[in-house]
Amino acid sequence: MKYIYSLVILSLLFSCSKIPDTRYFTLAHKSAESQNSGSDKVLVIKKIKSDPIYQQDKFVYRPSEYEIKFDHYRRWVQSPPQILTNRLKEYLKSRNDFKYVSSELYQNEGYLQLDCTLVRFEEIITGSKRDATVAVEYKLLQMPQEQLLTSGTIEKTEAISGNSAEDIVKAMSTATFNVFSSLAGIIQE
């Protein structure tokens, strides 16, 4: 009899709790204002690489310097490297700095190749402060010689203004746009 009562109580408890819906998000696309009237340069953007933690679609957050957690109910529509590869290509095309921007191999004469690795793409929680952080390591090569023109790391942080998933995504979008803007400036130097 105790066993039946226990089962009834457990089933009532489980029926009262609701599993949250899984929600999917993407970055807001910001086009750059056209900076130039075009040039004869060609830019090939290689698919952005990342550490394994960013190769899945769950939101990543750090509640402390040493701990990484995943949000199982808030997800990206694609892995962050896929989203950033597509958005970076769209962003650089919208700037009109290049004759041609692609993620496909370019078979003609010399071109620039941008090779990036996503180092951070996460929410960072420090006490009551929450920030969206995006960091990318980059290498710009003159091809086909594979001559390194420049390399480095760009990291941008944006404060998260509210508590909703949309607030996180808005801050991640802004931080990403700021990384892209800095990267475009470096490519043009």
Side-chain angles (χ1 to χ4, degrees), residues 5-50:
Y5 285 128
S6 296
L7 284 176
V8 169
I9 289 173
L10 282 175
S11 67
L12 286 173
L13 286 174
F14 284 124
S15 66
C16 293
S17 64
K18 182 182 179 212
I19 296 174
D21 291 333
T22 301
R23 298 176 63 201
Y24 292 89
F25 298 89
T26 192
L27 297 175
H29 176 63
K30 292 184 179 182
S31 293
E33 291 184 20
S34 181
Q35 302 294 315
N36 295 314
S37 59
S39 77
D40 59 350
K41 294 181 191 175
V42 172
L43 177 66
V44 173
I45 301 169
K46 295 202 54 176
K47 184 178 182 227
I48 295 175
K49 300 176 290 288
S50 74

Side-chain angles (χ1 to χ4, degrees), residues 26-31 76 87 169-170 172-174 176-177:
T26 192
L27 297 175
H29 176 63
K30 292 184 179 182
S31 293
W76 298 106
R87 293 293 191 241
V169 173
K170 181 178 179 185
M172 293 298 288
S173 295
T174 301
T176 300
F177 178 79

Side-chain angles (χ1 to χ4, degrees), residues 70-128:
F70 298 97
D71 187 328
H72 298 283
Y73 301 106
R74 293 184 291 191
R75 297 176 178 242
W76 298 106
V77 295
Q78 296 175 306
S79 70
Q82 290 172 310
I83 293 172
L84 266 64
T85 298
N86 294 333
R87 293 293 191 241
L88 179 58
K89 185 171 70 172
E90 292 168 4
Y91 175 82
L92 291 173
K93 277 183 178 181
S94 72
R95 283 179 56 95
N96 202 28
D97 291 335
F98 302 95
K99 176 173 85 173
Y100 181 70
V101 176
S102 176
S103 54
E104 304 295 321
L105 290 177
Y106 189 73
Q107 299 299 324
N108 292 346
E109 292 183 18
Y111 61 94
L112 298 175
Q113 178 176 292
L114 181 61
D115 191 359
C116 295
T117 301
L118 183 61
V119 179
R120 295 188 106 166
F121 192 79
E122 59 202 26
E123 173 186 1
I124 299 176
I125 303 166
T126 311
S128 62

Side-chain angles (χ1 to χ4, degrees), residues 123-156:
E123 173 186 1
I124 299 176
I125 303 166
T126 311
S128 62
K129 186 177 181 218
R130 297 170 52 228
D131 291 317
T133 300
V134 177
V136 173
E137 292 176 351
Y138 65 90
K139 289 191 299 188
L140 184 65
L141 303 168
Q142 178 66 53
M143 301 300 282
Q145 305 91 332
E146 296 186 27
Q147 176 188 1
L148 179 65
L149 300 176
T150 186
S151 65
T153 302
I154 300 171
E155 182 171 324
K156 299 295 181 181

